[in-house]
Amino acid sequence: MNPRDRIRLLGAGLIGLGGTRMAQAQTQGPVAAQQISSEPWKVAMQISDSLEQAYEGLINIQNVLELDPKMRFIVVGYGKAIHFLLNGAKTPQGALFSGMIGDLANQGVQFKACNNTLTFLKIPQSELVLEATVVPAGVYELVKLQSEGWYYIKP
């Protein structure tokens, strides 16, 4: 058998394997989510870029908690996005962030606001939503959480 025939035969075999897998996948239907671990995973989320990022991050948390309600989250807000933690802040769709934050806090999600950012932007702590606690520095808090075994994500 010449090399070209070998390549054609190999290609035909690989295509056949792919088609079989595709046919199996199509007949199996949707895969149900399974609990990730017997111990809850701990996730620290950085929100520092924008209100859009904050909204996306909170939606991500809602989705994950539907799959694994035991998962624990700490959201650390600082920089340009700190405003999502303020009373009256609205999502890009016009809803109040405080409603989303309250719902997530009721599921165990913690919210931390960076004191450095609040000071720099001259925002009094009294403007924060009730669920937010103040930490000295957002970046420091994220590093500390990672050193304590928390996974880090940024939407």
Side-chain angles (χ1 to χ4, degrees):
M1 184 179 294
N2 70 40
R4 281 192 176 158
D5 290 338
R6 286 183 188 165
I7 291 173
R8 285 185 188 137
L9 183 60
L10 178 62
L14 291 175
I15 289 170
L17 285 174
T20 302
R21 286 190 183 134
M22 186 179 293
Q24 287 174 344
Q26 289 174 351
T27 60
Q28 289 177 351
V31 177
Q34 296 181 8
Q35 184 175 334
I36 294 173
S37 167
S38 61
E39 291 295 317
W41 284 11
K42 304 177 297 184
V43 179
M45 179 180 284
Q46 173 184 336
I47 303 291
S48 59
D49 295 343
S50 66
L51 293 180
E52 289 81 10
Q53 179 206 27
Y55 181 71
E56 179 182 316
L58 298 185
I59 293 293
N60 288 337
I61 293 172
Q62 287 175 345
N63 292 339
V64 169
L65 289 175
E66 286 180 19
L67 295 173
D68 186 353
K70 292 182 182 179
M71 194 170 286
R72 295 173 52 203
F73 284 91
I74 293 179
V75 178
V76 181
Y78 65 93
K80 297 174 192 173
I82 194 75
H83 295 91
F84 87 99
L85 291 172
L86 301 181
N87 288 312
K90 293 190 176 181
T91 69
Q93 288 71 26
L96 290 173
F97 269 108
S98 60
M100 292 180 78
I101 290 169
D103 289 344
L104 290 171
N106 286 334
Q107 296 177 67
V109 177
Q110 298 176 47
F111 293 87
K112 311 275 182 159
C114 172
N115 189 59
N116 285 344
T117 300
L118 294 172
T119 301
F120 179 77
L121 296 175
K122 297 178 175 63
I123 299 171
Q125 291 183 12
S126 61
E127 290 188 29
L128 290 171
V129 294
L130 292 175
E131 296 83 358
T133 58
V134 177
V135 294
V139 172
Y140 176 82
E141 186 69 14
L142 288 166
V143 171
K144 182 173 87 68
L145 290 168
Q146 288 177 76
S147 75
E148 296 170 355
W150 289 72
Y151 293 97
Y152 164 84
I153 58 173
K154 180 180 177 186

